[in-house]
């Protein structure tokens, strides 16, 4: 059975929308994108790079998949492109006709909780979810996430989509916390079951 690790950048007030750039995710009129941009450093790169270099596959919501495919597919001038190209990738979409179009990609069409639970039960790959907050809003309450890695930035964004859906009541145990030189805490959690 697969394990699922979710990796997410969040603000102190739990916002996960648009961390990388101003135009990354403007849904709902969100105009505060790029709030995480001042915080990456060598420590964050090393901690996050460990996960990317590990064996296993990637699991994405469609929006994040398309964004990463546009940025990394077929690139060779950095260490991430070839690694992402080679990894098995699963993209969750409600559209059964969606053409994934990135090497080693498989479409999981239909209800996210159902299709991901099916994948989890039928593969031994450890899966990593990058970003994909809409997908996580389904997977977290369904109990399908086995580990949560949050890069918590020392900023209050004040508006935007948060990682956890309203009404979710989930308990987690802190198993590791790594401070960076910019004040980010990279916290690793496992669910209390």
């Amino acid at each position: 059975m697969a394990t699922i690790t979710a990796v997410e950048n969040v603000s102190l007030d739990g916002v996960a929308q648009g961390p990388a750039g101003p135009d990354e995710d403007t849904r709902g009129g969100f105009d505060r994108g790029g709030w995480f941009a001042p915080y990456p450093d060598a420590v964050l790169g090393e901690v996050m790079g460990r996960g990317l270099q590990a064996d296993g596959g990637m699991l994405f919501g469609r929006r994040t998949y398309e964004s990463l495919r546009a940025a990394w597919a077929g690139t060779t001038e950095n260490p991430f492109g070839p690694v992402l190209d080679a990894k098995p990738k699963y993209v969750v979409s409600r559209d059964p006709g969606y053409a994934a179009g990135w090497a080693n990609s498989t479409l999981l069409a239909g209800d996210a909780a159902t299709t991901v639970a099916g994948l989890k039960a039928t593969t031994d790959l450890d899966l990593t979810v990058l970003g994909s907050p809409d997908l996580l809003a389904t997977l977290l309450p369904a109990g399908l996430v086995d580990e949560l890695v949050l890069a918590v930035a020392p900023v209050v964004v004040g508006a935007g989509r948060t990682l956890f859906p309203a009404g979710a009541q989930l308990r987690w145990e802190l198993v590791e916390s790594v401070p960076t030189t910019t004040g980010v805490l990279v916290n690793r959690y496992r669910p209390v079951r």
Side-chain angles (χ1 to χ4, degrees):
M1 177 181 264
T3 61
I4 296 178
T5 299
V7 178
E8 196 75 34
N9 297 327
V10 297
S11 65
L12 287 175
D13 55 341
V15 173
Q17 185 173 1
D23 298 325
E24 179 183 7
D25 183 353
T26 59
R27 289 177 292 169
F30 184 69
D31 62 357
R32 300 172 188 199
W35 53 265
F36 197 82
Y39 299 106
D41 68 353
V43 176
L44 182 67
E46 191 275 325
V47 173
M48 295 304 192
R50 277 188 256 152
L52 190 59
Q53 295 298 330
D55 289 338
M58 309 298 293
L59 178 63
F60 299 109
R62 183 172 167 173
R63 178 183 297 272
T64 300
Y65 175 85
E66 289 176 354
S67 174
L68 290 176
R69 179 182 66 191
W72 299 106
T75 61
T76 57
E77 64 277 359
N78 61 72
F80 300 112
V83 171
L84 287 171
D85 281 347
K87 282 188 176 285
K89 292 170 285 297
Y90 298 90
V91 57
V92 180
S93 176
R94 291 181 196 94
D95 178 3
Y98 178 68
W102 188 359
N104 301 309
S105 294
T106 301
L107 173 65
L108 300 177
D111 174 73
T114 303
T115 59
V116 171
L119 174 65
K120 190 173 177 177
T122 58
T123 186
D124 289 333
L125 280 178
D126 291 329
L127 301 168
T128 301
V129 180
L130 295 179
S132 307
D134 291 345
L135 174 61
L136 289 174
T138 299
L139 302 184
L140 286 163
L144 293 170
V145 176
D146 302 291
E147 190 168 73
L148 188 58
V149 178
L150 299 181
V152 184
V155 61
V156 173
V157 178
R161 300 167 72 96
T162 59
L163 178 59
F164 298 101
Q169 187 172 14
L170 307 166
R171 292 190 62 223
W172 297 85
E173 169 188 23
L174 179 67
V175 294
E176 180 184 30
S177 185
V178 178
T180 72
T181 64
T182 60
V184 171
L185 287 177
V186 183
N187 296 323
R188 184 177 304 274
Y189 298 93
R190 290 199 183 109
V192 175
R193 302 198 194 255

